Amino acid sequence: GMDKPVIAAVGGPAAGIGMSFALACDLIVMADDAYIMSPFSSIGIIPDGGATWLLARQLGYYRAYELCAEGARLGAEECLSAGLANRVVPAADLQEHTVAWAQSLAERAPLALGRTKLAMRRAATQGFGEAISLEAMLQNACLESDDAREGVQAFLEKRKPVFEGR
């Protein structure tokens, strides 16, 4: 429910609940030698921490079930190809890259980021009409904000906007 973007920096094995924690984030950067793994079936339990919901929606039922049933490792490049990661970077650059990305996002309009996140998260459980209605409501709230006025003014003045989350 947090309105700020949450970035997971996966620097090694993200197995079990660690996988679930990473997948619950909004954005994922993985080191090139990192992987995710759902080892639950090998110890007689089921995936938890929201893993079934997250994996089924991201991968589709068949691929998600296979990953969980077999407990296979998915390397960083496989995660990127499957849409389970946004970026793969050399392990030595993981922290620097992730912090730079976070700093870049922090310069954007926080109200817009938060409302986009809300709309995207709800889209997973809404119909198309409901999604459009929610977008319209959230867009109207953004248009009335100081941040929107600052964004337009900065665009017209050809300068970088300074957003304050109001």
Side-chain angles (χ1 to χ4, degrees):
M2 184 186 324
D3 61 354
K4 301 205 180 333
V6 178
I7 305 174
V10 180
I17 194 71
M19 176 191 71
S20 299
F21 289 158
L23 294 176
C25 294
D26 303 300
L27 303 165
I28 300 175
V29 181
M30 293 182 76
D32 55 3
D33 59 354
Y35 62 88
I36 67 164
M37 182 178 172
S38 178
F40 299 99
S41 65
S42 63
I43 57 173
I45 60 175
I46 71 164
D48 60 3
T52 57
W53 189 90
L54 294 160
L55 287 169
R57 277 163 181 73
Q58 191 61 33
L59 296 176
Y61 170 81
Y62 298 113
R63 292 175 74 192
Y65 185 74
E66 177 184 16
L67 175 68
C68 294
E70 292 184 353
R73 293 180 181 189
L74 278 185
E77 289 295 336
E78 290 173 289
C79 288
L80 184 64
S81 294
L84 292 175
N86 299 93
R87 300 176 181 184
V88 174
V89 300
D93 299 336
L94 179 65
Q95 184 171 348
E96 180 182 345
H97 182 90
T98 306
V99 169
W101 195 9
Q103 289 170 334
S104 172
L105 290 172
E107 293 174 2
R108 298 185 180 275
L111 294 176
L113 287 177
R115 289 173 178 151
T116 299
K117 178 177 176 174
L118 174 63
M120 291 281 194
R121 292 285 181 165
R122 289 214 182 142
T125 59
Q126 290 179 322
F128 185 66
E130 292 171 305
I132 288 176
S133 293
L134 179 60
E135 287 174 0
M137 182 187 76
L138 296 172
Q139 184 72 296
N140 285 334
C142 283
L143 288 170
E144 296 171 0
S145 73
D146 290 342
D147 278 356
R149 284 186 278 285
E150 166 63 10
V152 170
Q153 191 66 36
F155 175 78
L156 294 173
E157 295 173 2
K158 297 182 179 170
R159 64 173 172 80
K160 189 175 183 179
V162 178
F163 297 113
E164 297 182 8
R166 295 182 298 179

